[in-house]
Amino acid sequence: MRYIWLDDYLLKKKGVTKDLQPDWNWIRYHVGGKMFAAVCLDTDNKPYYINLKLDPVRGDYMRKMYADIIPGYYSDKTHWNSIRPDGAVPDDLLKDMLDESYRLVLENFSKKRQREILDITCCGSECSKCGCYGNICQGCNELCGKVFHAPPGKACPIYRCAVNRKHLTSCAKCEELPCVIWRDTKDPQLTDEEFETDIQNRIRNLLEN
Ligand code: SF4
Ligand code: SF4
């Protein structure tokens, strides 16, 4: 197969796991336990299709554009598509379609579950990198923002605004980012310079995911 980068590319995505389905001889890629891509292998373990999910309108268009994209083999043919692994589909286009498949499956989860899968909070913090995590704090996603540094019984102001009020997965898609609420929730232990760096790091985390 010409797409030798495929395995690395998929495993670099947040929350992705893979397994081999022995009866079908498919390498399956999952996010949050749901399959979003598969490489179908023949009896010599040679790939014969790459299966992925697309918006039905785009899938239909792609099938018309490329003879190497056909309705999903052994799958729901409205949403799934099969790509021949030695065909003419350009690498960048395949990457783009795999990205879409990943996004479509991820977006089927609740917003809370999406944040857990991405291992990131709505403000871009990575709880697992915090010394308090699993110790005095169970994590922002798990506690729905009602962490120890939030007002008693209430979610932290960023969580309240982004998740509870605006019903967003995170602040990533908010035009006000980083807003006055971000500025007002400075960790008192950080210097102004450290706080600026923290903000930039959190924005990067949000925009990369
Ligand atoms: S600052 Fe707020 S939104 Fe960010 S991790 Fe802490 S509780 Fe969650
Ligand atoms: S205004 Fe936007 S950036 Fe600020 S906390 Fe709310 S969602 Fe996040």
Side-chain angles (χ1 to χ4, degrees):
M1 114 148 151
R2 54 174 282 201
Y3 309 112
I4 49 171
W5 45 263
L6 187 136
D7 187 68
D8 276 352
Y9 187 73
L10 295 181
L11 290 177
K12 276 198 188 118
K13 292 183 177 297
K14 282 260 186 185
V16 170
T17 55
K18 77 167 180 178
D19 70 2
L20 177 73
Q21 212 295 347
D23 296 338
W24 313 336
N25 209 20
W26 286 19
I27 301 171
R28 302 182 302 184
Y29 297 86
H30 298 93
V31 58
K34 297 266 183 213
M35 187 174 82
F36 73 96
V39 177
C40 312
L41 305 173
D42 65 17
T43 46
D44 294 325
N45 290 332
K46 211 169 151 246
Y48 59 94
Y49 283 132
I50 297 159
N51 277 12
L52 52 80
K53 211 171 179 182
L54 291 177
D55 169 79
V57 175
R58 188 182 185 203
D60 197 44
Y61 177 73
M62 287 298 164
R63 293 171 199 176
K64 287 182 180 132
M65 293 290 290
Y66 290 90
D68 293 311
I69 304 180
I70 60 169
Y73 170 74
Y74 242 79
S75 316
D76 161 8
K77 299 196 185 316
T78 306
H79 296 94
W80 285 87
N81 301 270
S82 294
I83 288 94
R84 294 199 177 89
D86 288 302
V89 175
D91 291 41
D92 283 349
L93 177 59
L94 180 59
K95 284 181 184 170
D96 189 60
M97 290 191 290
L98 289 165
D99 291 349
E100 176 172 340
S101 190
Y102 172 84
R103 183 180 54 74
L104 288 172
V105 172
L106 187 64
E107 283 177 359
N108 266 336
F109 291 101
S110 70
K111 291 191 164 54
K112 180 166 179 276
R113 182 72 189 118
Q114 285 179 45
R115 281 191 299 277
E116 287 167 0
I117 290 167
L118 296 174
D119 189 25
I120 212 158
T121 67
C122 64
C123 73
S125 298
E126 291 173 89
C127 287
S128 54
K129 290 191 180 160
C130 172
C132 301
Y133 185 59
N135 180 6
I136 57 166
C137 182
Q138 289 164 267
C140 170
N141 289 326
E142 291 80 354
L143 296 170
C144 299
K146 292 179 184 172
V147 293
F148 64 94
H149 53 81
K154 286 191 176 170
C156 134
I158 296 179
Y159 194 101
R160 266 205 317 268
C161 176
V163 180
N164 297 346
R165 188 161 70 82
K166 297 195 174 195
H167 306 295
L168 297 170
T169 307
S170 72
C171 293
K173 291 200 175 137
C174 178
E175 288 170 1
E176 295 172 63
L177 173 71
C179 68
V180 65
I181 304 176
W182 274 51
R183 302 277 173 205
D184 286 348
T185 45
K186 176 176 176 292
D187 179 345
Q189 290 182 355
L190 298 181
T191 64
D192 287 348
E193 202 179 320
E194 286 168 340
F195 183 49
E196 242 353 278
T197 306
D198 177 61
I199 286 179
Q200 294 313 319
N201 287 342
R202 285 194 281 140
I203 291 175
R204 201 184 54 239
N205 282 341
L206 288 175
L207 299 184
E208 280 176 0
N209 283 290

